[in-house]
Amino acid sequence: MHLAPRQRDILEQVRERGYVSIDELVQAFAVTPQTIRRDINQLAEKGLLRRFHGGAASDSSTQNTAYAMRATQMREEKRRIAEAVAEQIPDHASLFINIGTTNEAIARALQNHKGLKIITNNLHVASLLSSKSDFEVLVAGGTVRADGGVVGQPTEDFIRQFRADYAIVGISGIDEDGSLLDFDYQEVRVSQAIIDNARQVWLAADSSKFGRNAVVRLGPLSVVDALFTDAAPSKTISQQLKQHKIALHLV
């Protein structure tokens, strides 16, 4: 496949780092943002990467972007999503919070609440919220991943002991057919247990998750009661939201 030298270099950076912003590429190649966007669009059309608002990412369906890179992607959008979710959570509620950097932003946004009971398999969430003396934080046991997620059969068994008011769920991808997708089978099993044991299930997903590929199917979009995101989804996904009466919160 013929690629211009700059496009080959852009692709190499994206593959090495998982995600690269347009601003970083502009500085690296001393060209205009329009030039970089044009390169990214051409590479995306060839199926070599995925374009996002503000940058580009690799398009592997089998391996997630490294945690350090995910933590910096769509940071402002995640912050707005987090504030919108936190506004809807009442004091003295019980909630599950699963793995994901958006959920970690939500944990930060919840720190002004009172009397929350949090059940989580995310060590970063537990660390953020355990400093609040009026919060009760319960952490699932299991295998600890490098990104602070806890997974495995013991994790799933622990989750199934509870019935929470809310589940705050993150996801790696939302297919056009409404399938919720992730990369880790064990993580998906825990998320399914969380969904099964919550009265309300809220999906927190920035717009880069729409149409993103991942190999493990968590379930259909219809398992959630509300979607919090930063941009309107496609017409196909919007129709499913209406069909299943899923509340859409745009921030």
Side-chain angles (χ1 to χ4, degrees):
M1 184 180 297
H2 174 72
L3 295 175
R6 186 179 58 247
Q7 291 178 335
R8 287 198 297 269
D9 291 342
I10 290 171
L11 189 59
E12 183 178 354
Q13 287 201 33
V14 170
R15 286 174 173 169
E16 286 180 355
R17 299 172 56 189
Y19 175 90
V20 183
S21 72
I22 288 173
D23 289 343
E24 289 172 320
L25 293 172
V26 165
Q27 292 180 9
F29 296 104
V31 295
T32 65
Q34 291 78 10
T35 298
I36 293 297
R37 289 191 185 96
R38 185 163 53 248
D39 286 336
I40 288 173
N41 286 339
Q42 291 174 1
L43 291 168
E45 288 168 2
K46 297 177 188 296
L48 298 174
L49 50 69
R50 293 192 69 234
R51 57 177 176 258
F52 295 115
H53 175 71
S58 60
D59 197 25
S60 171
S61 66
T62 61
Q63 186 173 4
N64 202 359
T65 308
Y67 174 79
M69 191 60 61
R70 282 184 279 134
T72 63
Q73 293 173 9
M74 310 287 281
R75 182 175 289 173
E76 174 59 22
E77 291 84 354
K78 290 173 183 177
R79 184 193 63 78
R80 298 202 308 268
I81 290 168
E83 290 181 354
V85 171
E87 286 176 3
Q88 300 293 321
I89 297 290
D91 290 338
H92 306 288
S94 59
L95 54 153
F96 294 116
I97 303 179
N98 76 345
I99 299 170
T101 55
T102 303
N103 284 351
E104 292 162 20
I106 292 169
R108 285 188 285 271
L110 287 169
Q111 289 179 329
N112 290 327
H113 279 58
K114 298 177 182 178
L116 296 181
K117 183 166 187 172
I118 302 102
I119 306 109
T120 186
N121 64 322
N122 185 327
L123 295 185
H124 298 294
V125 166
S127 177
L128 285 163
L129 295 178
S130 59
S131 61
K132 283 275 291 180
S133 60
D134 61 330
F135 284 7
E136 183 179 0
V137 180
L138 296 97
V139 183
T143 301
V144 181
R145 302 190 320 196
D147 63 357
V150 184
V151 297
Q153 188 62 50
T155 319
E156 183 182 344
D157 293 342
F158 180 83
I159 293 296
R160 292 195 182 278
Q161 297 180 86
F162 302 94
R163 179 73 170 166
D165 299 324
Y166 302 94
I168 310 302
V169 178
I171 200 68
S172 293
I174 305 173
D175 206 344
E176 276 297 295
D177 68 0
S179 295
L180 305 179
L181 305 173
D182 227 311
F183 293 92
D184 185 337
Y185 173 76
Q186 293 189 91
E187 177 181 349
V188 164
R189 293 281 298 180
V190 176
S191 296
Q192 288 169 337
I194 285 172
I195 288 168
D196 289 345
N197 290 281
R199 295 180 177 88
Q200 284 279 313
V201 179
W202 293 356
L203 177 63
D206 67 68
S207 55
S208 72
K209 306 302 171 58
F210 295 130
R212 187 184 184 203
N213 293 324
V215 70
V216 186
R217 185 176 183 272
L218 186 154
L221 190 58
S222 58
V223 301
V224 309
D225 298 292
L227 169 62
F228 292 77
T229 189
D230 60 283
S234 68
K235 183 178 179 181
T236 302
I237 293 176
S238 296
Q239 288 173 340
Q240 293 183 58
L241 296 174
K242 292 179 182 178
Q243 177 185 349
H244 298 292
K245 299 180 180 178
I246 301 167
L248 175 62
H249 299 265
L250 290 177
V251 301

